[in-house]
Amino acid sequence: METTRLIIVAVGGQGNLLASKVLGEAALLAGVPVRMSEIHGMAQRGGVVESAMVFGDAESSIISDGEADILLGFEPAETLRAIKRCNKTTQVITNTAPVPPFTVAVGLGTYPDVEEIKQLIQAKTAGLVAIDAMSLAREAGSPMSVNIVLLGALVQTGALGFDRDVVEEAIRRRVKPAFLDVNLKAFDLGFKAAAGV
Amino acid sequence: MHKLLQDLPGEKIMLLGNEAIARGAVEAGVAFATTYPGTPSSEISLNLFQMSQESDLYFEYSTNEKVALEVAAAAANSGLRTFCMMKHVGLNVAADPLMTLAYVGVTAGMVILTADDPAMFSSQNEQDNRYYAKFGNLPMMEPSSVAEAKDMIKDAFELSESLKQPVLLRTTTRINHSNAFVTFGEIKPRNTKGRFEKDPHRCVTVPAVSRGLHVKVLEKMKNAARLSDTSSYNFVQGQGPLGVITNGVSFYYAADAVKDLGLTDRAKILRLGFSNPLPRKMIADFLKGCEKVLVVEEGEPFMEEAVKAIAQEQGITISIKGKSDDLFSRLFEYDPAMVREKMAAFFNVPYTPKPSVDTSDIPEIPMRPPNLCSGCSHRATFYEVKQAAKDMDVICPNDIGCYTLGFLPPLSMGDFVICMGSSVSSSCGFSKATDQKVVSFIGDSTFFHSGITGLVNAVFNNHNFTLVILENDITAMTGHQPHPGVDMDRFGLSGYGRVNIEKLVRAVGVEHVSIIKPFKVQKSIDVIKEALAFKGVSVIISQEPCALYAKSLKLKKIRPFMVSDKCVDHRDCITTIACPSFYLDKDNRVAIDANTCVGCAVCAQICPENAIRPLKQ
């Protein structure tokens, strides 16, 4: 089986770990071997959360620089920061709604221009799908569903090879019943937005 | 029912490494478990704690790792299968009982888990705890994957019981914090009723007894060495004249590298999962069939040095390399591409790494360092101490917890941190060695862990400093575990006591004790000034629940604040207290994010214009 390596980067609290668990569950449903590794630790205090997922026939669970087949970014500057994990065949999917780090508020840094971020990623990788996942999440009914909007966009690109009904079933299994409708709508909005890009 | 208590053998489920380890312990029939929380081990205990509420498993959060191990040692010598878990530096705290418990041994299976943290994702150092196994004469096992970790712990209990020795189980962050599919096994019935059979010639380690025990522990390790040489956890994969010796997560990086480099018919891998004592005969046999050998292990050259020594004894002169200037480093963790590259270089096979994208034209991306949360009371306390000590030459020893982040600008409070509890004892030293004023900080959990002994020392030796105990009602850094000062009724749990820090500090003999509520800014500054003026040991207890914890338990009504038109933009709020709820809006003016503001009102109290007001909802 082909090996597909997916990196997910996000800011603590954006739901990266739930998103990767949904994809893991989808892999289980699809009969695809998967290994996952996550870095959090101090992320609860505003840092970056990263998950690595290796689908298919490989034994290791982390992804080296240059070796990601797909990069899924929940925050545009974090997507750009993770660009070293990509190569020229990598498919990138990113949220365009910034979550500025506090260093910017205290004047210790400047947030890069989102249009420039998009152009840079576009020029260096095989393709970029950039959507305002925050607006779509609000439209779905909760700003907390940014993660699932982005999963919708990821599945639409086909880069992962999962059918949307498998991922929707995984969402049903992993998301609390009270939030299920919002998340299924978020998934659909993300899927459609990526198709329109 | 807790998902890890389900009696569904054969069920396939995705688990975090730490969940798989907890499940493995339950399948092994563990009856007694103790810990002090520490990342990357924290979720093991979280799950065992939850399971203990639904079953007859005994679990406790102990005050520190030494206590946890001593409590566990008694249970394991009363016939109960016992599990004691901690992070790598925690084993340093427990090292004292560990070394002697190895002599005494156990009567039922006992596994001590050390969660090492290569690359220091959440730790103060990168120590390699395989040396504790060697140092202490303890058998050690090391899994390479999440699924193996679950099964290995069961065999570690069996091994411990057969040798009557505690067994060290060493994981690394990439096991603890990886997710994988795991198949449930059967749950062995728990024996929860123990009995201690007196055996003073084994259990009372006076010198005359210990002399005999040292002899015995070496015999036990001889038996362990025989078991290691035949253990299924030590195995050879593949065949050929090129040899790789590896352990832990590196095994899979090496296995992928062999495949990717097209070496499947030329290279064989010796994976060591029962890693102390090393299987010397197996290693010697492996070396005899090799032209050259690469040792792939994160951390220190633990196996490499042993393998070279075995080769010398056997008269084998092949090239054996691992950590050297042109191969692997003793620093940080490994990754698959690094292992592939070093293996290709050592075995002289062509390899072109996949080129990463060119990042030379990427603009500078602002850093996203961890930060004290919105409405964190530590921020207020740091600010107030800073104001109270404004014109003083002051040293601020700090400790291990969320508040360690106080060292970051603009608060910049925290001048010296080495380990848990060190703020108090190092203050003793600074106050004697210098004429500077010393104000130190420690969290409540950490105070119970090992701060209290330093405070007793300070009172007895009549030191001169102010200790601020940051009492936020929980162990916050590792994810909200309880400690002896916590009101367990808040969790709806009964049967717990509670230790009052103020009474404790007074009982120790501290004469100047004051309490502040850090969200009352001016009042707190006044009280702190008084404490700083006291000659001798003074303690300030700063009481305010952790903001995240208060939010999750709905302890407080959240009332966000906003910046009104009265703001004249001198930005004292951002430049002095730097709460992450502040941001600059599109007109480059300070604003407050109402979604994250918890309404502590500290910024409102320091704004000279009184421009920060509660948001009308």
Side-chain angles (χ1 to χ4, degrees), chain A residues 21 28 36-38 45 57 59-60 62 64 66-67 75 78 81 83-84 86 99 102-103 110 124, chain B residues 14 174 177-179 181 252-253 256 259 335 337 340 356-358 361 366-368 370-371 477 579:
Chain A
K21 288 200 168 94
L28 180 63
M36 298 155 60
S37 181
E38 57 200 47
R45 275 142 278 275
D57 290 335
E59 303 286 357
S60 42
I62 64 172
S64 308
E67 303 209 331
E75 201 284 333
E78 295 312 322
R81 202 196 303 277
I83 195 86
K84 62 182 184 301
C86 302
V99 181
F102 190 71
T103 43
T110 316
K124 290 170 191 295
Chain B
M14 185 166 48
R174 293 294 181 174
H177 285 171
S178 285
N179 280 275
F181 301 139
Y252 287 119
Y253 309 158
D256 280 348
K259 199 174 80 176
D335 65 69
R340 203 185 304 129
S356 288
V357 298
D358 173 20
D361 59 343
M367 294 302 293
R368 205 182 284 275
N371 193 347
M477 184 62 139
C579 173

Side-chain angles (χ1 to χ4, degrees), chain A residues 142 144-145 148 171 175-185:
Chain A
S142 166
M144 300 295 285
S145 64
I148 305 295
I171 292 172
V175 171
K176 285 184 186 146
F179 305 114
L180 188 58
D181 288 344
V182 167
N183 279 292
L184 287 174
K185 188 170 179 205

Side-chain angles (χ1 to χ4, degrees), chain B residues 18 21 113-117 141 143 149 169-173 175-176:
Chain B
N18 281 340
I21 290 164
L113 181 134
T114 164
D116 288 13
D117 190 15
M141 300 179 85
L169 184 76
R170 176 184 182 252
T171 60
T172 57
T173 308
I175 299 283
N176 301 97

Side-chain angles (χ1 to χ4, degrees), chain B residues 403-419:
Chain B
Y403 45 86
T404 316
L405 297 172
F407 89 95
L408 292 168
L411 295 164
S412 307
M413 296 293 269
D415 298 320
F416 193 76
V417 180
I418 44 176
C419 66

Side-chain angles (χ1 to χ4, degrees), chain B residues 325-470:
Chain B
D325 290 344
D326 56 342
L327 285 171
F328 293 108
S329 169
R330 286 166 62 184
L331 296 169
F332 316 137
E333 61 168 7
Y334 291 2
D335 65 69
M338 176 207 287
V339 171
R340 203 185 304 129
E341 182 203 325
K342 305 294 183 194
M343 189 183 287
F346 187 66
F347 291 151
N348 295 317
V349 291
Y351 166 62
T352 321
K354 237 182 197 173
S356 288
V357 298
D358 173 20
T359 54
S360 58
D361 59 343
I362 301 282
E364 200 174 327
I365 304 165
M367 294 302 293
R368 205 182 284 275
N371 193 347
L372 295 171
C373 302
S374 290
C376 174
S377 61
H378 301 332
R379 178 181 291 104
T381 309
F382 284 134
Y383 171 80
E384 288 150 8
V385 171
K386 218 172 160 168
Q387 296 305 308
K390 207 155 38 185
D391 301 312
M392 295 179 184
D393 179 11
V394 57
I395 310 174
C396 295
N398 206 338
D399 222 292
I400 309 265
C402 301
Y403 45 86
T404 316
L405 297 172
F407 89 95
L408 292 168
L411 295 164
S412 307
M413 296 293 269
D415 298 320
F416 193 76
V417 180
I418 44 176
C419 66
M420 277 213 159
S422 69
S423 66
V424 193
S425 346
S426 62
S427 296
C428 298
F430 285 124
S431 73
K432 280 287 170 196
T434 72
D435 292 330
Q436 290 159 284
K437 181 71 201 168
V438 180
V439 186
S440 48
F441 300 93
I442 194 165
D444 41 7
S445 186
T446 310
F447 177 69
F448 287 117
H449 177 279
S450 50
I452 186 168
T453 43
L455 189 61
V456 171
N457 182 67
V459 170
F460 176 69
N461 289 303
N462 202 18
H463 290 299
N464 176 26
F465 64 91
T466 300
L467 173 68
V468 183
I469 301 175
L470 302 158

Side-chain angles (χ1 to χ4, degrees), chain A residues 135-178:
Chain A
S135 302
L136 295 172
R138 287 209 174 93
E139 193 183 328
S142 166
M144 300 295 285
S145 64
V146 161
N147 55 348
I148 305 295
V149 170
L150 288 158
L151 283 192
L154 167 69
V155 171
Q156 197 285 328
T157 64
L160 202 51
F162 287 159
D163 293 335
R164 72 175 285 177
D165 45 336
V166 171
V167 181
E168 282 173 338
E169 175 57 24
I171 292 172
R172 280 188 200 99
R173 290 186 180 202
R174 282 282 170 171
V175 171
K176 285 184 186 146

